[in-house]
Amino acid sequence: MTLPFTRLLRAGLLAMSIAAAAPSFAQQALQSPEQFLGYKLGSRFTYHADVLRYADYLVQQNADRMRVVPYGRTYEGRPLEVVQIATARNLQRLDDIRRSNLRRAGLESGTPNLDQPAIVWLSYNVHGNEAVSSEAVLQVLYDFANPQNKEAQALLERVVLLIDPCVNPDGRERYAQWYGRVAGAPANASPLSWEHREPWPGGRFNHYMFDLNRDWAWQTQRESQQRIALYNQWLPQVHADFHEMSAEAPYYFSPAAKPFHEDITPYQRKFQNVIGDYNRQVFDKNGWLYFSRETYDLFAPSYGDTWPSFNGAIGMTYEQGGSGRAGVRYIKSDGDTLTLADRIAHHHAASWATIRAAADHQQEMLKQFDKYYQDARQRPRGRYKSYVVSGSPERLAPLVDYLQRQQIQFGYLGERRKTQAYNYSNGKREGVTLQPTDVVISMYQPKSTLVKVLFEPQAALEDSLTYDITAWSLPYAYGLQGYALTSNLKSGGKAPAAASKPNSGLPAADGTTYAYIARWNSLRDARLLSTLLQRQVRVRVAYQPFEAGGQKFQAGTLIINRGNNQGLGNRFDAVVRSLADSVGAELTAVKTGFASEGSDLGSSNVHGVGRPNVALMAGPGTDATAFGEVWHFFEQQLGYPVSVIGTDYFASVPLNKFDVLVLPDGNYADVLNERQLENLKSWVRSGGRLVAMEGAMSYLAGKKDFALKTKPADSSRTNTNKKGAAPDPYRQLRRYGTAERESLQGQVQGSVYRVELDNTHPLAFGYPNNYYALVRSPLNYQFLGEGSWNVGVLKKGQAASGFTGSQVRAKLNDTVVLGVQEMGRGQVVYLGDNPLFRGFWQAGKLLFTNAIFMVGQ
Ligand SMILES: [Zn+2]
């Protein structure tokens, strides 16, 4: 990267002048973004480091009114930070203001201050290629830093600003650097020039190709985890999230579109309008085009508007027309030129409108915030007053971590108890027996609205026209047994000891242990296998259930024999135990290879587990987020090496270097030609394992030698006609105005289905006989024939939660979801459901691990 000479000079001179003349510097006028950066805002994209450098400069000049709070780093190592802006008086007592706010929410004890300003949190550039946001924020920061700006200073009497100038630095930089390389001089406005055609994967996502605006509720990504830890220390009254949409579109602000989640309160609905009014005034005055109440709904909790709303804020989304397509100048189809400067002006105006609205309604906002949390604690929403989740401490651990990160209070039941409850696994209200170690979440707590949204078995959908998942209930997502109770269940128990120190009960390592046994039922166990294999420890897996040392073990159980690992010598116990401790996995030690039931530990029913070399396809043709989910899983969750292979050179890759090839979702007709498919088949026949997910699976359907077939067209028709009746001649008469709504009949955006599992097959090891999957596309496959295994299937009536269009419902009756085809010495694993979707569906992770390590051993 070369910087223009004048810019280098300016930056260098500036650094010297700060160092040499700091005392008198404050008397000079504050430098605008243009003066500081050396170019006019809107003439190019500002690199992330320069965005932060300008923020730092403003803070240095206004240390009595501004602070930078670093809150973490991205996967690529870029700093994440929030800029705090307040009056000098408020900045001095900022921590009191923060704590006073938490007291209002009931998350800290004590009495809140009466004269607290409202807290406004503005987030820019969560989607990296919606790059206008971090330009607009420079102007916003300047305005509110500038002591000469009397209106800004007056607003700060009533609000504290927390400004995140770039939520997704890795994505932004991917976009800005690319654009900087290809932009014309001057910028070329023709939509045909390459500066308007971002290459795969684009800058929208973070390093691992996650959409950070689908991660607020799940917090699977480092950026979200670190940001929300800080957010939860503040709980602002307003959160606004700045985006861009298609370059042809105008501007969007609130009120949001339907559906609203039913737990968006009347006050929050009202303020969607109030803040909308402030925006409308400025957009009307300038004659700028905009729309509201369309497209952007308030339903699924994954977003930067909904998740803050379920935490008591007014959650806002702003969308400017532009995004990665628009560059600095862009000729739209109507002939007008959209400029980056226009886009900046709009986001800048919306930022001001939001701050003005909050300042003008400061008292009401605080009053309503108090009420929101008082209601949450004393009059929680919904019919269920407590939720109970049951499972071993090991399987509950990820949920417990998650609840803690969300500031959701919970306890352990502490006794056995019979009661009536809604049972998530069969959808019935019935008598159930709860266990002492069950986790109890009472609705009488500050975060009860969030609890309801995350736990309720079925979220009420006032309108099905939404563009995201419609079901996400945590017991399904975590693969745990859940109950919902209409009574407020008290929890008096302590956390089970096994949750913190899983191997504290093992006998002394005196060399008499014949083998260590590890159950196979959680991601921790998968991590154990991963780390053992990488340390060259030999691991075997029981293909059948057995009983040893007085305990029963299911198929899939890992066995680490001393006799198999003589290379470790007398370090055997220490190595195995320390690796288990390092991942928190639980071991059982046995002194004999004899099984009191089932096969002995040395039997040939106990198979050695290989250490597979895994390749993962990426690049144009694959779906970037689907690829990223697999990549993130290997590197950040499982801790196992994976070689990423680009579609552009896949043809030249010697496949015999790999044991497993994962094809994430994508359009493989564009990736694999006939010859490559043949090569792939010969590699499988000679012992390779192909894992085909979603679109890769549908690409293979009907191809020569693949067992997978789609169902005949008429079997997926809806039953509008009785069998044998003449076709309905009016079927083609459709109303134009309802086309969008009708298209929903063919969709499933994300609904929970109970998949029946054959858990005697290695692909389903560690599972009961069913698995709740988040189904997001109309699977429509025949059951696999001879030589193949239908490991996971949907039969009729297995929908558990969420919206499914009527045409899709028929397709989802009787289809294979998870299957394995034996092909020569290898296998093809079909994963019609993506068990790693958005990294939050914990229930599916072992299934994917099975596809990599267990199948074909
Ligand atoms: Zn966006």
Side-chain angles (χ1 to χ4, degrees), residues 127 130 204 243-244 319:
H127 289 142
E130 298 171 5
R204 178 181 175 90
H243 289 261
E244 286 189 272
E319 296 273 354

Side-chain angles (χ1 to χ4, degrees), residues 126-127 130 204 211 213-214 242-245 318-319:
V126 60
H127 289 142
E130 298 171 5
R204 178 181 175 90
D211 184 331
N213 195 34
R214 304 292 183 276
F242 291 84
H243 289 261
E244 286 189 272
M245 54 188 159
Y318 291 110
E319 296 273 354

Side-chain angles (χ1 to χ4, degrees), residues 510-531:
D510 55 5
T512 62
T513 297
Y514 180 89
Y516 289 96
I517 301 179
R519 293 180 192 279
W520 186 250
N521 54 22
S522 76
L523 185 59
R524 287 185 187 182
D525 307 323
R527 280 196 203 110
L528 174 63
L529 176 61
S530 161
T531 183

Side-chain angles (χ1 to χ4, degrees), residues 41-81:
L41 273 193
S43 63
R44 50 167 292 178
F45 288 100
T46 306
Y47 294 117
H48 179 251
D50 291 334
V51 171
L52 297 193
R53 208 163 51 81
Y54 184 57
D56 279 349
Y57 157 77
L58 293 177
V59 170
Q60 279 173 22
Q61 300 308 305
N62 295 281
D64 61 330
R65 291 182 302 112
M66 293 176 76
R67 253 180 232 154
V68 169
V69 181
Y71 67 84
R73 296 234 168 217
T74 67
Y75 286 108
E76 293 176 18
R78 296 191 174 83
L80 295 161
E81 57 184 51

